[in-house]
Amino acid sequence: MSTPEAKELNLLNKVELRIALADSDPKLEAVLKTYLAPLLLKLASEHKILADTQNHSSIKLPVAALLKQFKEHPSTPLIRHFDLIYVQQGLDRLPTAERVELFPGLINGLADIGPGSGTHGATLFNLLLRLLPLFPLPPRGSKEDSELRKSLGLADRPRDAEFLANWFGKVILLSLSRLGEKTGSLNTVQRCPGISLDEYAFLTLGGKPETWSSEEKGGINLGATKISVARFVSSGAFIDQERFLPALFACADPNSRISDIGDDILKRTLPSVSLEDYTLVGRLFRIYFGSSEAQGAPPVKPALQTKILGLLSKSAISTTFTTNIMHVVEEGIMPPTITSGDPGAASGPSGREASKLRGAIFSFTNWVARIGSAADLRSIAPTLVYKLRDYIEHQGWPSLSSTSEGVSSSEVSLRGYAYESIGLLAKTSPEELLLDPNMDLLRWLFRSLSEENSGESISISIEEGISSVIGAFSGAMSVDVTEALRSLLLKHMELQVGDDSSAGDGSKVRRSTRFVAVRFANRCLPYSDVVGRWINLLAIGGRLGERSDVVEEGKKGLDPHWYGMLNPGHGTPTSVTASANHAFPDIAELVMYIFGAPTNDERMLDDTSRISSLKSQRACILAPAVAYCRRVLLAQALEHTTTAPVVDIDWERKLDAMVSADEATRKNIQEFLQNIALTKSTLDARSVIRFLHAIFDGLIWNHGEGLERCGEYLVELCALSTNELIRPLVGRVQELSGAIFSNNIQTRSTASHAFGILASHGTCPDEEVRRIVDQLLQTARAWDGAIGAEVNKAHGSIMALGYLFSRLSFRQHLDSVQNATLMAFVRIALTIIKDSRDNLLREAAFLAIGQLSIFSVLSPTLIRVSHAPELIIDKLVESAKAGNEKAVVALGHLAIAFAWDEPGGVRLRDMILDCTYKLHELRQPELQFSVGGALSCVAAGWSSKALIIEIDIEGEAPSTVPCQRRISEIMDKVLGDSKNTKPALRKASCIWLLCLVQHCAHLPEVQERLRLSQAAFRGFLSDRDELIQETASRGLALVYEKGDKDVKDDLVRDLVSSFTGNTANLSGNVTAETELFEPGTLPTGEGRGVTTYKDIMSLASEVGDPSLVYRFMSLASSSAIWSSRAAFGRFGLGSILSDSSVDGYLAENPKLYPKLFRYRFDPNPVVQKSMSDIWTALVKDSSATIDKHFDGIMEDLLKSIVGREWRVREASCAAIADLVQGRPLPKYKKYLGDIWVLGFKVLDDIKESVRVAAMGLCRVLTAILVRSVEFSSSSSAKDTNAMLENVMPFLLSTSGLEASAQEVQMFALDTVLKLTKSAGGTLRPFIPDLVAHLLGLLSSLEPATINYLHLNASKYNLTEEKIDAARLTSIRSSPIMDAIDKCLDLVDEPTMSELVPSLENAIKQSVGMPSKVGCSRILVTLATRHNFLFRPHADSFLKVVERAVLDRNDTVSSSYATAAGYLCRVASDSQILKLTRFCKSLYFSGEGKREKTISVWRHNTSSDRFSNLSVDFLPFVFVAKHDSDEQVREYFEKAWSENIGGARAVLLYLQEILALCMGHLESPRWVVKHASALAIADIVVSAGNELGHSSAEKVWPALERAVGGKTWDGKEKVLEAFVLFVKTGSGLWKDRSDIANQITKITLREARRNNPAYRQQALRLLGQYSEARDDIDLFPEVFDIVSSTIETLFSGSEDNQMDVDSTVIGGHSSKTVQVSKSLQLHHVGGLEIARRLESTLAVTERANTMATIAVQNAIAEGLKDILDKLYVASPTILPTERWDEVLRGILKRIGPLDDGPEALRSRRASCIDALVKVLGKVYTGALNETRTLLQGEVERAASNERSPPVRAIFQRAREELLALGSASGKA
């Protein structure tokens, strides 16, 4: 019994025998297919046998079986080794299809083999890469693509997918490195970025150079492989997480073909990959840095590092990798010249790569600074900041200098990023970097800004960096830090451009840092900080010509409101009461810092050294400093009072108004200053005194010129201060003389007033007072002769004396002045009033008389001393009527001097009162307010509040007893005048009544008439004069303030009725003289017009139409209503309604709310603001109130939105928009349809502002709709669908997209576009109609100018093609097309069924070019992106497109042709064949449609379906590629070459092509006929020698018909093919004599054609034919044709032929000569050769007379050919005597040997050489004479020849002739 080993050995021997007996490759292949795999299993045995297949390259090996066996035996390395060897050998021998089938099996289990299996894994992966380009990838997004992962088995083995993705990424990273010389050692390999040595060995099969060399056997092209890998990674075989890194690597590849694919994959992958994955982010960092191990992967290339940083800049978790972040910055910003110590390491990126990488590093740094946590940033910020500083300083700091010569411009641009990054990082760790007493970093940044010279862009970056750190200083700071910051800011406020740097290094200040310093002061120092405010003052006035932004920032810092806006919640005062929290600066500290420290020595209080210094050095600061300190003082005075103003944008104006007019405010300030005076030893009192000195200095600045409002402030504070506070200023009274005599009237006025206050002080010495009075009185006496500046001095003197005497009287110290002096001054003042014509002096006198009157200095007795009181009153009235306000005031003040109980006083007061009433005719409104004040003085005397401001000295106001009867009479008089229809009196009475209520409302007589005043003011509200409306509104507010609850409720009731009523309740009574319209508003012609009610009556009577009265009154009433409503917006009527609490009138009348809600949106901003204030005050819970009255408000608004008045419509639009926002849909669902309809209706309103408001409403509705559909959940889906069901039909109707108004149409379109972006599936039911409407809009919205240009293109040097190209580009980028694409993305199967008929109808009915192109693009989209749903409908659309492609517009036609090509991808074969027939008919049907055939065919043939139906396509393509049109021909030639492997492939479609050509050879269209003929000719040419007997028999009928007919351009190609057919198809005509005879007949016929160009080709081909037909002798026929042709060419009778260009003639002759010489010796024998030679030479001689180069060359070549044939012929063909004749004749016809160009001489020399050879062959003694003749010609030619080659030929011929002669002589 045999052992197993013996059996095994026996089996091996049998296999060995079979292999040895295989004597051919097929037999060996069969044996190996069966036994190779089992044989390799025996490798585990000791008996081994291997087949040598390497030398049998044609043998196919069982690769699949070997591969399977390899994977099934992981534990037998030897088996696996030889399996792989044979797999490698057999892989390339397999057909492509079989190789592709190996792909899934090769992938399966690859991860288990991998790098850990030695070289096996590397080999398998290499085999996979070799197969990858062959693997067909399905179209992206197709069903096959989505199932590819499953079909490859990767879905079940995700480890394989991860393995492949990982190593595919390595392949993309791979860059080939040069191995060590000869050794191939990996240790000497230049490292590949991103790949370790082991990975490199894996990819290169152990470092074999041939692995990636496509020139080597089995080698791979790296670039092509990367592209294949990238495409495979983009397929459905991988999920997004797997393809992410390979895509990232690919997008950074320098090859654009790879990077484009990578970019595309990355865009699609990023949404699915979480950049917050800690593991992924860590891996990105590792890829970025590489490995620190010796054999590890080095860092990736800078381009990939840049991409990685871009991704990390989107990851919040990346900010936690602090060590890596620091490493990134340290490595990335290292200068290029600094390299590591490793000589093998790269020197780092440089140039553009480095700039991009550094830019990415700075972006990443900014990201970290913004997103990173505080703890992480604190750990890295200091180090990073120092590194960035080093980077900047390495380039040169603070400015680029000689140390930065090597810095590129791109590096300089990154300098700005570094500054920005420093700022962002520094603010994250302020304790370590910013808040140190040295302020090192901040000082560094400030100095950088001031001295940086790199350009404005860098300075902007520095400013941004500084701005970033501002927040670090906004919190609490230590004292040291605060002081350091103040010092730094002050220093930079002092710097000027051009100053030397404080560092002392020679650098200069190049840029002002004042703006940044001021900004720091405003943001970092609290508002209470006096240094910060001093910096603001320096910004405002510290430098002449300061930049506006610096000044503006300084003003913001001084304004507490703006400071609060800049620093919300930063200790900002919201009212002056916030000073308790030190929001305002302390006035004492502020004054001390600005104006110098006060001293305890009273003698030093007048020391103004600091102020003097301030004036001399910074005079511009003094005025703003005084103004600011004054505001702070007043704010501090009011901080604990009820009159403290709220700090808002208008707080300064309010403060000024309160101080000047509000009694309570003035009293509070007086009390504050009084308390300060009582504690004068404290710092506050002395600071106030110091401040008063500063103001005083501002008044007397520049010798009395004064600074701005300093004088006004001095008078104001002196008036509010106690005598004790102003006492230190009394000693400086004498200094006011310059200001009193100033040429500035404002300075004179305020200085005179201050003089009166100070000089009247009790501490002022009487002697000093008298001295000054005498001086002033002396100046005043000179008034009548004063001119120029003297008038100003007199003016100041009179005012100063008036203030002085009046204040002395008030202080009861008038006795200090002599009575005569006072009498003299009064006389001067009254005389000026009576006699002076100088208005300036008269005004001074008016003021003096008024001051003397109210302070009881002047009396009727004192007046009568010099003048009659009546005369003075008349003069005052005269000036008042002239518009002099001071005269009006003086008139009122003078009445106080006339007491009611004094004799004559009543009469004089009555006189003044009557005169005051007459001043109603004054047209200046401001004068009427003065008249009203005067009336209040006349009525109440010192009881009038109008005189409050006159009390400017400490003490109680004078008391007077008002006459109650007179007050009542005045009130009654004014109330009565308010009803007067006279416009001037009506306006005046309204203003007077306001003044009386304002100044005298505290008196009982006025209180009793408040209800009457209310009625009067209410009547004024309907007046058309805006001033009257404002005055009446203010009057109502005052009445409301003074009235009790009943009065207030009555007023509220009247106001509410004016809102809610339907009539103009405020219009008042109408009389015949009532003016209803302004003059000119309603002109009637001839300069007349309708103004009053009487005019209306007259006009109605004239035209006989009484209804005009009612029409005009209705118009006037309506106008009055609106005027009234506008008036409600003035002077705080909100307080009236807000005080009507829930217990008042409004609680019982809820109808107010709808009206009031609408008026909040009134077009008038004043009304709007007032109503908003009223609403806020009235409605405590706005949301609850609106919800409660929602239906009423909405119904009122929907009614008002289409009202008659435009204001109502506009307000309603805005109100509805506000009402629906933020409310749930059910709340207004029932109104939604009406809102849309009415909103779009007013969108076309006649008033533009209404249209704008309607547009706002529609935008709100759109936003609500979009949000609803965008965020709709399952619970709200029902509401969303309901909303769309209401809105979409409306949007698609004639009220929306099809509206006639363009505004409506455009907004509807905008709404639809927004819906398509966010609606999602909820929009699906409306898609069919929506798409159709959008397609129509593409044309209707196109500007009409485009069509005009299209029709008149030539006028503007344009073409229709260019215009259409621009239109096409516009359509492609149109948002409408984007919306259509989004709609198509939502289509499902039911929707597609509805969309198809709608789209077909749109294609058929579209008119405009944009709509047609849009339709074609939709078809393309459906066929590519939605092919699964669209496939059932593709056939119908392909049929529709056949008609559309015939459009007259080439662009439209081309677009539909494109669509047809894409439709072919999803259409059925039958429909594609129908399209093919359509294309054929289109091509063959008529002229001008062949180009459209190209359009259809271009995209049709690009379809994958083309190859399956090539039998139907290719014959037509073959015919069409011979079209005469170059464009048509080129396209079809390309289509043919792309789909056919070789020229002889035409025989595959021979029968179909011939059938197609035969059918159109008789076409009436020459183009088709010629193309068919050329196609038949091309069949013969392409087939060549492969044209067999049967094929020739099929071709012959078509060829015979093709060569028939007239000549045409290109027919010579057909004739040439005809001759070729004779050569290649000889079997046919040799068997059939009829065909042979017909061929000869056709050839001779074509040679006789008269067309010159065609004839030369026919003659040439005739010669070829004669050579091919060796069975017949064509010499007689051909010679006859040739000779007759030459005779025709040279015949004088054919003049027209001689006109042909000589080149053409020469060409024809040369062809003739060539044909002749070919025919002469065709049959050599007998004596016939002599006759033919003679005939040929005769023709040649005839042709030789044409001395063209072309002819001579042809003759030389022909004779040479004849001589060569004579040389090989037998010498006996001619007798000796005939040889002599022939040889001499040939020599004669060769031509001159030494004439012509070198080429011609060379040919003739060759002829001589051939002639010598023939002579030598036939030579006898009888030919010696010929030899001698020939020798002479040769010697002469040789001696004259210049060309060495030609001369050599002659010399050789000469030597042969000499040898021939010598031989003859010997004989």
Side-chain angles (χ1 to χ4, degrees), residues 244-245 247-253 259-260 262-264 266-267 270 275 284 287-288 300-314 353 356-357 360-361 364:
F244 172 70
L245 286 179
L248 176 61
F249 300 158
C251 69
D253 196 274
S259 60
D260 290 345
D263 287 335
D264 179 65
L266 202 60
K267 288 177 183 177
L270 269 179
L275 294 177
L284 289 175
I287 294 171
Y288 183 95
V300 294
K301 293 181 179 179
L304 181 53
Q305 288 181 322
T306 303
K307 292 285 185 180
I308 292 174
L309 289 177
L311 294 175
L312 294 177
S313 297
K314 300 176 183 178
E353 284 186 354
K356 287 185 176 180
L357 179 57
I361 290 173
F364 179 55

Side-chain angles (χ1 to χ4, degrees), residues 1020-1026 1028-1030 1033 1066 1076 1116-1130 1164 1167 1207:
F1020 285 125
L1021 286 176
S1022 62
D1023 199 284
R1024 294 188 306 277
D1025 192 307
E1026 186 176 356
I1028 295 179
Q1029 294 176 23
E1030 294 177 355
S1033 179
L1066 306 180
L1076 300 176
S1117 176
S1118 177
S1119 176
I1121 292 172
W1122 285 115
S1123 297
S1124 301
R1125 287 167 182 169
F1128 295 155
R1130 311 287 181 177
N1164 190 320
V1167 175
R1207 300 186 185 204

Side-chain angles (χ1 to χ4, degrees), residues 98-141:
E98 293 185 21
R99 278 188 274 175
V100 171
E101 291 174 358
L102 295 175
F103 195 80
L106 192 58
I107 289 176
N108 188 17
L110 195 58
D112 297 333
I113 303 170
S117 61
T119 60
H120 294 163
T123 304
L124 281 181
F125 187 72
N126 182 266
L127 293 175
L128 176 65
L129 295 178
R130 290 165 60 182
L131 291 179
L132 193 58
L134 304 176
F135 185 75
L137 292 174
R140 193 174 71 189

Side-chain angles (χ1 to χ4, degrees), residues 1340-1647:
S1340 61
L1341 293 182
E1342 186 179 48
T1345 53
I1346 299 297
N1347 289 322
Y1348 173 80
L1349 284 175
H1350 201 271
L1351 295 174
N1352 301 274
S1354 59
K1355 295 182 180 179
Y1356 301 95
N1357 294 324
L1358 295 173
T1359 62
E1360 295 181 0
E1361 289 75 13
K1362 289 183 179 180
I1363 297 174
D1364 283 344
R1367 297 168 80 185
L1368 189 60
T1369 302
S1370 175
I1371 294 168
R1372 289 172 179 168
S1373 59
S1374 170
I1376 297 179
M1377 285 307 303
D1378 292 340
I1380 292 175
D1381 289 341
K1382 288 182 174 63
C1383 289
L1384 296 180
D1385 290 340
L1386 301 173
V1387 171
D1388 56 9
E1389 191 169 351
T1391 309
M1392 181 66 75
S1393 301
E1394 297 178 10
L1395 176 63
V1396 166
S1398 177
L1399 185 55
E1400 286 183 355
N1401 190 49
I1403 294 174
K1404 295 175 182 178
Q1405 296 183 358
S1406 294
V1407 177
M1409 176 263 193
S1411 297
K1412 293 178 180 180
V1413 172
C1415 291
S1416 69
R1417 286 181 57 82
I1418 290 179
L1419 294 178
V1420 173
T1421 302
L1422 291 174
T1424 53
R1425 294 167 55 185
H1426 311 283
N1427 50 19
F1428 181 76
L1429 294 173
F1430 186 64
R1431 191 181 300 275
H1433 311 283
D1435 286 1
S1436 61
F1437 279 105
L1438 198 55
K1439 186 176 181 180
V1440 172
V1441 165
E1442 291 181 3
R1443 182 184 302 174
V1445 82
L1446 299 178
D1447 196 275
R1448 291 177 297 176
N1449 188 294
D1450 291 339
T1451 303
V1452 174
S1453 177
S1454 177
S1455 298
Y1456 276 117
T1458 303
Y1462 283 98
L1463 287 172
C1464 286
R1465 298 182 179 183
V1466 291
S1468 64
D1469 290 348
S1470 59
Q1471 191 59 44
I1472 295 176
L1473 293 177
K1474 290 180 182 179
L1475 179 66
T1476 305
R1477 291 193 290 272
F1478 167 74
C1479 291
K1480 292 178 183 178
S1481 64
L1482 196 64
Y1483 181 83
F1484 295 119
S1485 62
E1487 197 69 38
K1489 296 183 180 179
R1490 304 195 317 287
E1491 291 77 7
K1492 299 186 185 301
T1493 309
I1494 295 179
S1495 297
V1496 179
W1497 210 261
R1498 175 182 293 115
H1499 303 282
N1500 190 8
T1501 55
S1502 65
S1503 171
D1504 298 335
R1505 309 290 297 280
F1506 183 83
S1507 57
N1508 299 329
L1509 303 172
S1510 57
V1511 175
D1512 299 277
F1513 290 160
L1514 288 177
F1516 169 66
V1517 173
F1518 184 80
V1519 175
K1521 81 187 186 79
H1522 297 91
D1523 195 276
S1524 59
D1525 185 274
E1526 183 179 0
Q1527 181 184 3
V1528 178
R1529 182 173 64 255
E1530 286 181 357
Y1531 170 71
F1532 282 106
E1533 284 177 349
K1534 181 180 179 182
W1536 175 264
S1537 62
E1538 288 177 351
N1539 291 275
I1540 292 300
R1544 294 182 180 86
V1546 68
L1547 296 176
L1548 296 174
Y1549 309 99
L1550 179 62
Q1551 190 170 350
E1552 292 81 2
I1553 295 174
L1554 289 175
L1556 193 62
C1557 293
M1558 291 288 285
H1560 295 92
L1561 279 175
E1562 301 301 328
S1563 172
R1565 296 180 57 234
W1566 284 104
V1567 174
V1568 175
K1569 185 174 182 178
H1570 295 166
S1572 300
L1574 291 172
I1576 295 172
D1578 196 9
I1579 292 175
V1580 177
V1581 175
S1582 299
N1585 295 327
E1586 300 293 330
L1587 189 66
H1589 188 279
S1590 60
S1591 299
E1593 192 172 9
K1594 296 175 182 177
V1595 172
W1596 166 248
L1599 184 60
E1600 182 183 12
R1601 291 178 59 184
V1603 81
K1606 300 179 180 179
T1607 59
W1608 41 274
D1609 291 343
K1611 186 180 178 182
E1612 61 274 5
K1613 295 181 182 178
V1614 181
L1615 184 58
E1616 189 171 354
F1618 184 83
V1619 174
L1620 181 61
F1621 177 81
V1622 174
K1623 297 178 181 179
T1624 59
S1626 59
L1628 177 64
W1629 54 264
K1630 286 180 179 179
D1631 293 343
R1632 295 182 57 181
S1633 59
D1634 57 334
I1635 295 179
N1637 295 333
Q1638 184 66 17
I1639 290 174
T1640 302
K1641 181 179 178 182
I1642 292 173
T1643 305
L1644 295 175
R1645 182 193 67 200
E1646 296 302 313

Side-chain angles (χ1 to χ4, degrees), residues 653-897:
R653 186 195 62 79
K654 292 178 181 178
L655 181 64
D656 291 344
M658 293 169 61
V659 172
S660 63
D662 187 73
E663 184 178 7
T665 300
R666 294 177 65 86
K667 184 176 180 181
N668 289 332
I669 297 173
Q670 287 172 347
E671 291 178 355
F672 172 78
L673 294 176
Q674 186 176 8
N675 292 332
I676 290 179
L678 293 176
T679 58
K680 65 178 182 178
S681 61
T682 65
L683 189 61
D684 285 346
R686 298 198 176 275
S687 297
V688 172
I689 295 172
R690 172 62 62 185
F691 180 47
L692 290 175
H693 278 290
I695 303 176
F696 192 95
D697 284 322
L699 173 61
I700 64 174
W701 177 81
N702 195 17
H703 307 292
E705 288 299 319
L707 283 174
E708 298 183 10
R709 299 177 64 186
C710 286
E712 182 182 339
Y713 296 151
L714 180 63
V715 171
E716 177 187 78
L717 290 179
C718 288
L720 296 172
S721 299
T722 64
N723 291 329
E724 185 64 25
L725 280 178
I726 65 174
R727 181 176 60 83
L729 297 178
V730 173
R732 303 183 65 183
V733 168
Q734 184 61 36
E735 298 178 36
L736 289 173
S737 58
I740 294 174
F741 296 151
S742 171
N743 290 326
N744 187 312
I745 186 173
Q746 183 65 28
T747 301
R748 290 199 304 273
S749 300
T750 55
S752 299
H753 198 163
F755 172 77
I757 297 172
L758 296 176
S760 64
H761 197 276
T763 61
C764 187
D766 294 343
E767 295 80 6
E768 182 72 15
V769 172
R770 283 192 290 272
R771 185 183 64 79
I772 296 175
V773 168
D774 291 341
Q775 181 184 356
L776 294 175
L777 189 62
Q778 182 179 359
T779 304
R781 284 192 178 102
W783 68 268
D784 54 343
I787 57 174
E790 296 300 322
V791 174
N792 294 334
K793 291 181 179 181
H795 174 263
S797 299
I798 294 171
M799 288 192 296
L801 290 172
Y803 282 119
L804 176 60
F805 290 143
S806 60
R807 271 55 182 178
L808 287 173
S809 174
F810 184 74
R811 295 181 189 273
Q812 298 181 357
H813 195 51
L814 190 58
D815 54 357
S816 63
V817 180
Q818 295 180 1
N819 190 46
T821 302
L822 175 62
M823 294 283 291
F825 173 69
V826 170
R827 185 180 299 107
I828 292 172
L830 295 177
T831 304
I832 291 175
I833 293 174
K834 174 177 173 292
D835 299 330
S836 178
R837 296 183 179 180
D838 190 297
N839 287 331
L840 199 61
L841 295 176
R842 288 164 62 84
E843 289 180 356
F846 294 155
L847 186 144
I849 293 299
Q851 293 296 315
L852 295 176
S853 297
I854 61 177
F855 286 105
S856 304
V857 177
L858 199 63
S859 64
T861 304
L862 186 59
I863 296 174
R864 286 191 181 94
V865 172
S866 58
H867 297 81
E870 295 81 2
L871 177 63
I872 301 302
I873 294 173
D874 289 341
K875 289 295 182 179
L876 288 173
V877 171
E878 180 183 346
S879 296
K881 288 183 177 181
N884 193 307
E885 183 179 0
K886 289 182 172 58
V888 175
V889 174
L891 197 62
H893 289 176
L894 183 61
I896 299 176

Side-chain angles (χ1 to χ4, degrees), residues 1256-1270:
L1257 170 60
C1258 292
R1259 287 196 182 98
V1260 170
L1261 296 175
T1262 300
I1264 293 174
L1265 181 60
V1266 171
R1267 284 197 301 270
S1268 299
V1269 299
E1270 186 174 4

Side-chain angles (χ1 to χ4, degrees), residues 364-433:
F364 179 55
T365 306
N366 291 351
W367 169 262
V368 172
R370 291 196 304 268
I371 305 300
S373 65
D376 291 334
L377 291 173
R378 278 195 297 270
S379 65
I380 62 174
T383 303
L384 293 183
V385 168
Y386 295 143
K387 292 292 182 183
L388 293 172
R389 282 184 64 174
D390 290 342
Y391 171 75
I392 293 174
E393 291 173 357
H394 175 79
Q395 294 179 343
W397 183 85
S399 59
L400 289 172
S401 60
S402 58
T403 60
S404 59
E405 292 178 357
V407 178
S408 64
S409 59
S410 57
E411 290 293 327
V412 174
S413 65
L414 294 175
R415 188 179 178 94
Y417 289 110
Y419 280 117
E420 295 177 18
S421 301
I422 288 173
L424 289 171
L425 289 168
K427 74 174 182 179
T428 63
S429 186
E431 292 81 5
E432 292 81 1
L433 295 171

